[in-house]
C-alpha cells in the first residue's frame, strides 16, 4: 500500500472515533481538474488543535534535546524518504493541486534541497559561539546562541503545497522546534501525506511534526494555541486576520504574503531569454505563484521585439490535466472570477488583449484560464495594482529602465522581481533599488532555489524571512550569556564602587569616543 493510500484521512463514519480526529466534522478535498474526491479530512476544532499542540510541546523537548547532529540525522532520513517517493507525492500534488506532474517534481525537489540545507547549516547558524565582550565587560566571557521556540505553527497556502510550507517546516525543525502544520483546505491530503511520511521516516520523533486540517477556524485555533510562533503564508487579507488573532496571546508571527512582481527588460537585454522567462514566470502553475511575474516594463528599444516574442511563445501554451499540458486548472475555482475581473477592468480602461482574454473563443474549458497577455494597461487598473494570481501578463512600454523601476516600485506589495539587462553593474544597481525582498537578474524565481538566500517580502508582501541563515534564526530566540572570568579591582555595577569611579569612567569614554565628530 502506498503512503498516499495510508495517509491520515478519515471516512465520514470514522471521523471523531479516534483521538487524532477528535471532531466529527469532515470536509472533502477534490481534484480541481475532475472534481473527484481526493480524500476526506477532519475539521479540527480548537480542542483538537490544542491537544495536537500539547502533544507537540512534549515532543519539542525531546526533539530539542537531540541536538544539531541528532536532528540532522533524522531530517536527512526524512529527505531520503521524500526523495525515494518523489513520484508518489508528485502524483498526489497533481491530483489535489492540479499542476502538471513535472512541475510537482520540480517543486518537491526544491523542498528536498531546502531540507538538506537547513539540516546541514543549523549548527553553524544557531549553535553556541563566543562574542567579544567589549571594553566595559573585558573581564567577562560573552556567549551567544539561538534557542528553539518550542512549537511552531505553520499555516500554508495551496499553490505550492510542498515547497512553500517546507520553507518554514524544515527550518523550524532544524532549529529545534516541533511543528504543527495547518495546510490549506484545498490541499489537506498533501499536508497529511507529508506528516505521514515524517512518522514513517522518523518514528522516534513522530510527534515533532504533525498536521491539523480544516478551514480558517482551524488556523485561528492554531494561532490561539500558545505556540511559540506562527509562520503564515497566504494572502495579505488573511495575514491581517492572523496577526489580529495572534495579538491576543502575544504570539509572534512571520508573514509570507502575496505579491505583484514586475520584470524590467532593459535596452540591452537578451529579448528572447527575457520573453521565455516572462512567459514561464507568469504562466507556469497557472500563474498561481506568489513570486510569479505579473507585470513587465520593457523599454522602448526592446518593446516591440519583446511583445512579438512573448506572443509567439504564449501561443504554444495549452492548459490541461494531461501529461502534455503546460499548466493545470485553477486550484481555487473562485480565483477565476478575480482573474476575469482584472482582465475586464483592464480592457474597459483601454487595454488590448493580444492572447487569451475572457471572450468565448478564448475559453480553454471549465476550471481553466487562457494564457492572457495585456498591453496598454493603465497603471490604475486592477491588473496592475492587485494580485491577479492567474496566467496573465501585462506588458507596458517605458522610456528607460529608471521609469521601469519607478513603476515597479509603485505598489503596496514588495515580494520579488526580475531584471533583464546586458550590463551587470546596471542590473545590480537596479536590483538593489527594487523595493522587494528578492530580485533575480537575467532569470526569474531563481532566488527561491538557492537555500542560502533568505526569502520574504516588504510592505503588503509581509515580513520575516524563511530560507537561509535568516530563515533558521526566524524560528529561534537569541540567548545571551555572560560569565565573569575574574573580578576587577573596581566593580562599576556595585553600590560599593569608589566615589570617583564614575569620573574615571567618564575620562576613559571621553578619550576613546570623544574625538569622533
Ligand atoms: P489564504 O490567505 O486564503 O489562506 C492561507 C491559509 O490561511 C489557509 O491555510 C487558510 O485555511 C488559512 N486561514 C484562513 N483564514 C484564517 C484565519 N482567520 N486564521 C488563521 N488561518 C486562516 O491564501 P491562499 O489562497 O491559500 O494562498 C494564496 C496566497 O498566498 C496568495 O496571495 C499568494 O501570493 C500567497 N503566497 C505567498 C507566498 C510567500 O512566500 N510570500 C507563497 C505562496 C503563496
Amino acid at each position: 500500500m502506498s503512503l498516499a493510500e495510508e495517509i491520515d484521512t478519515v471516512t465520514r463514519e470514522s471521523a471523531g472515533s479516534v483521538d487524532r480526529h477528535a471532531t466529527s466534522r469532515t470536509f472533502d478535498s477534490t481534484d480541481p481538474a475532475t472534481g473527484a474526491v481526493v480524500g476526506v479530512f477532519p475539521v479540527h476544532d480548537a480542542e483538537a488543535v490544542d491537544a495536537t499542540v500539547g502533544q507537540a510541546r512534549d515532543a519539542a523537548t525531546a526533539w530539542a534535546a537531540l541536538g544539531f547532529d541528532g536532528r540532522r540525522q533524522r531530517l536527512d532520513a526524512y529527505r531520503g524518504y521524500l526523495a525515494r517517493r518523489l513520484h508518489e507525492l508528485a502524483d498526489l500534488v497533481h491530483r489535489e493541486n492540479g499542476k502538471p506532474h513535472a512541475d510537482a517534481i520540480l517543486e518537491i525537489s526544491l523542498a528536498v534541497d531546502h531540507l538538506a540545507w537547513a539540516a546541514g547549516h543549523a549548527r553553524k547558524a544557531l549553535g553556541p559561539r563566543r562574542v567579544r565582550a567589549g571594553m566595559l565587560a573585558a573581564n567577562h566571557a560573552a556567549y551567544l546562541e539561538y534557542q528553539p521556540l518550542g512549537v511552531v505553527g505553520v499555516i500554508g497556502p495551496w499553490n505550492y503545497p510542498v515547497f512553500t510550507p517546507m520553507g518554514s517546516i524544515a527550518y523550524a525543525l532544524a532549529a529545534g522546534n516541533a511543528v504543527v502544520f495547518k495546510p490549506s483546505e484545498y490541499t489537506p491530503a498533501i499536508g497529511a501525506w507529508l506528516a505521514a511520511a515524517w512518522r514513517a521516516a522518523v518514528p522516534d520523533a513522530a510527534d515533532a511534526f504533525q498536521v491539523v486540517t480544516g478551514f480558517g477556524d482551524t488556523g485561528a485555533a492554531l494561532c490561539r494555541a500558545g505556540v511559540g510562533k506562527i509562520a503564515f503564508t497566504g494572502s495579505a487579507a488573511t495575514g491581517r486576520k492572523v496577526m489580529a488573532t495572534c495579538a491576543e496571546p502575544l504570539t509572534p508571527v512571520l508573514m509570507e504574503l502575496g505579491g505583484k512582481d514586475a520584470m524590467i527588460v532593459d535596452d540591452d537585454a537578451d529579448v528572447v531569454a527575457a520573453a521565455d522567462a516572462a512567459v514561464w514566470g507568469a504562466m507556469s502553475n497557472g500563474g498561481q505563484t506568489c513570486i510569479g511575474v505579473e507585470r513587465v516594463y520593457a523599454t522602448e528599444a526592446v518593446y516591440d521585439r519583446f511583445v512579438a516574442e512573448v506572443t509567439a511563445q504564449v501561443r504554444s501554451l495549452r492548459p490541461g490535466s494531461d501529461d502534455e499540458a503546460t499548466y493545470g486548472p485553477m486550484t481555487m475555482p473562485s480565483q477565476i472570477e478575480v482573474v476575469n475581473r482584472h482582465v475586464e477592468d483592464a480592457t474597459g480602461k483601454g487595454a488590448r488583449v493580444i492572447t487569451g482574454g475572457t471572450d468565448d473563443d478564448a475559453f480553454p474549458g471549465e476550471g481553466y484560464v487562457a494564457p492572457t497577455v495585456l498591453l496598454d494597461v493603465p497603471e490604475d487598473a486592477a491588473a496592475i495594482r492587485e494580485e491577479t494570481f492567474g496566467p496573465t501578463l501585462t506588458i507596458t512600454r517605458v522610456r528607460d529602465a529608471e521609469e521601469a523601476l519607478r513603476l515597479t516600485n509603485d505598489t503596496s506589495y514588495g515580494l520579488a522581481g526580475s531584471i533583464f539587462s546586458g550590463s551587470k553593474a546596471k542590473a545590480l544597481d537596479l536590483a538593489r533599488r527594487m523595493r522587494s525582498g528578492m530580485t533575480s537578474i537575467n532569470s526569474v524565481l531563481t532566488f527561491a532555489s538557492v537555500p542560502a538566500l533568505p526569502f520574504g517580502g516588504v510592505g503588503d508582501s509581509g515580513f520575516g524571512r524563511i530560507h537561509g541563515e535568516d530563515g533558521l534564526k526566524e524560528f529561534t530566540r537569541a540567548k545571551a550569556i555572560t560569565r565573569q572570568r575574574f573580578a576587577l579591582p573596581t566593580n562599576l555595577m556595585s553600590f560599593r564602587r569608589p566615589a570617583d569611579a564614575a569620573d574615571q569612567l567618564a575620562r576613559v569614554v571621553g578619550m576613546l569616543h570623544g574625538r569622533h565628530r
Side-chain angles (χ1 to χ4, degrees):
M1 187 192 271
S2 76
L3 200 59
E5 289 157 334
E6 277 179 53
I7 55 174
D8 204 8
T9 179
V10 293
T11 60
R12 280 179 197 81
E13 292 70 41
S14 73
S17 63
V18 205
D19 281 345
R20 293 191 65 77
H21 308 121
T23 161
S24 52
R25 270 184 69 208
T26 62
F27 68 108
D28 293 352
S29 147
T30 52
D31 182 332
T34 63
V37 174
V38 176
V40 184
F41 294 88
V43 179
H44 284 121
D45 56 15
E47 211 179 311
V49 171
D50 284 346
T52 309
V53 170
Q55 249 168 271
R57 212 170 272 129
D58 295 340
T61 309
W63 179 247
L66 284 172
F68 292 109
D69 291 340
R71 292 196 294 270
R72 180 179 185 167
Q73 196 193 344
R74 286 158 181 81
L75 286 163
D76 286 350
Y78 185 46
R79 89 172 131 103
Y81 192 97
L82 297 185
R84 290 190 297 279
R85 286 160 184 78
L86 217 143
H87 281 291
E88 180 189 327
L89 178 55
D91 176 59
L92 183 63
V93 170
H94 170 65
R95 282 191 290 128
E96 197 176 45
N97 161 285
K99 73 180 66 185
H101 187 88
D103 285 357
I105 295 275
L106 178 61
E107 173 179 350
I108 300 161
S109 304
L110 290 172
V112 168
D113 202 38
H114 276 280
L115 260 169
W117 195 93
H121 289 78
R123 178 193 292 282
K124 183 168 167 280
L126 310 175
R129 78 223 40 201
R130 271 182 77 158
V131 296
R132 285 175 71 91
M135 180 191 77
L136 293 176
N139 58 325
H140 294 257
Y143 304 92
L144 167 64
E145 66 187 55
Y146 293 86
Q147 298 181 341
L149 304 170
V151 181
V152 168
V154 175
I155 300 176
W158 44 262
N159 58 336
Y160 288 86
V162 178
F163 174 70
T164 294
M166 201 50 82
S168 295
I169 294 165
Y171 290 78
L173 285 170
N177 304 280
V179 169
V180 175
F181 171 37
K182 206 299 271 176
S184 164
E185 51 272 40
Y186 289 95
T187 51
I190 297 161
W193 192 100
L194 290 172
W198 174 266
R199 286 200 297 277
V202 191
D204 67 344
D207 286 346
F209 173 30
Q210 301 174 70
V211 158
V212 290
T213 51
F215 300 86
D217 284 350
T218 305
L222 188 54
C223 296
R224 293 194 181 95
V227 295
K229 187 160 197 164
I230 286 287
F232 173 79
T233 309
S235 60
T238 310
R240 288 188 178 91
K241 288 189 206 161
V242 167
M243 278 187 77
T245 310
C246 285
E248 297 165 21
L250 272 183
T251 297
V253 290
L254 162 77
M255 288 280 140
E256 296 286 352
L257 309 176
K260 190 71 198 172
D261 293 355
M263 173 187 283
I264 296 173
V265 188
D266 201 3
D267 297 353
D268 53 359
D270 178 338
V271 171
V272 176
D276 182 52
V279 172
W280 167 263
M283 314 286 176
S284 61
N285 210 35
Q288 304 162 110
T289 303
C290 55
I291 48 173
V293 181
E294 298 217 346
R295 306 173 285 157
V296 174
Y297 295 104
T299 61
E300 271 165 9
V302 293
Y303 178 85
D304 290 338
R305 275 190 295 139
F306 181 79
V307 170
E309 191 58 43
V310 165
T311 310
Q313 292 195 25
V314 166
R315 293 232 159 91
S316 67
L317 301 186
R318 186 181 56 78
S321 188
D322 55 287
D323 282 349
E324 272 73 51
T326 37
Y327 63 83
M330 299 301 278
T331 311
M332 193 169 67
S334 59
Q335 194 64 25
I336 296 175
E337 283 166 39
V338 176
V339 179
N340 288 346
R341 175 170 66 76
H342 286 196
V343 174
E344 280 156 17
D345 170 69
T347 50
K349 288 178 168 145
R352 285 185 292 141
V353 176
I354 53 164
T355 64
T358 55
D359 288 350
D360 287 350
D361 54 346
F363 184 63
E366 203 62 57
Y368 296 89
V369 173
T372 299
V373 179
L374 297 161
L375 305 182
D376 306 330
V377 183
E379 285 293 308
D380 64 350
I384 296 282
R385 306 229 72 84
E386 298 169 28
E387 186 179 50
T388 307
F389 229 52
T392 66
L393 186 65
T394 67
I395 310 177
T396 304
R397 185 198 298 265
V398 289
R399 200 174 49 253
D400 55 21
E402 284 304 317
E403 187 184 5
L405 184 69
R406 185 177 61 72
L407 295 173
T408 294
N409 287 347
D410 185 19
T411 169
S412 61
Y413 288 109
L415 194 52
S418 52
I419 294 161
F420 274 75
S421 163
S423 158
K424 179 178 159 193
K426 188 172 180 194
L428 279 169
D429 174 56
L430 289 166
R432 292 197 173 98
R433 290 188 290 133
M434 187 180 274
R435 187 180 159 276
S436 67
M438 294 114 7
T439 301
S440 52
I441 297 169
N442 294 340
S443 74
V444 284
L445 324 185
T446 310
F447 42 78
S449 65
V450 181
L453 283 177
F455 184 108
V458 302
D460 285 354
S461 293
F463 49 82
R465 294 293 181 266
I466 54 172
H467 302 175
E469 289 203 3
D470 299 86
L472 284 164
K473 285 188 181 147
E474 193 71 48
F475 298 108
T476 62
R477 61 173 75 89
K479 174 76 183 183
I481 301 172
T482 62
R483 179 180 59 81
Q484 180 170 278
R485 294 183 294 134
F486 54 88
L488 291 177
T490 301
N491 182 3
L492 288 169
M493 289 194 271
S494 164
F495 288 120
R496 294 189 291 159
R497 72 186 174 208
D500 64 348
D503 288 342
Q504 285 178 24
L505 175 64
R507 263 198 302 282
V508 173
V509 169
M511 272 178 342
L512 276 176
H513 301 291
R515 61 199 160 84
H516 293 285
R517 300 194 180 275

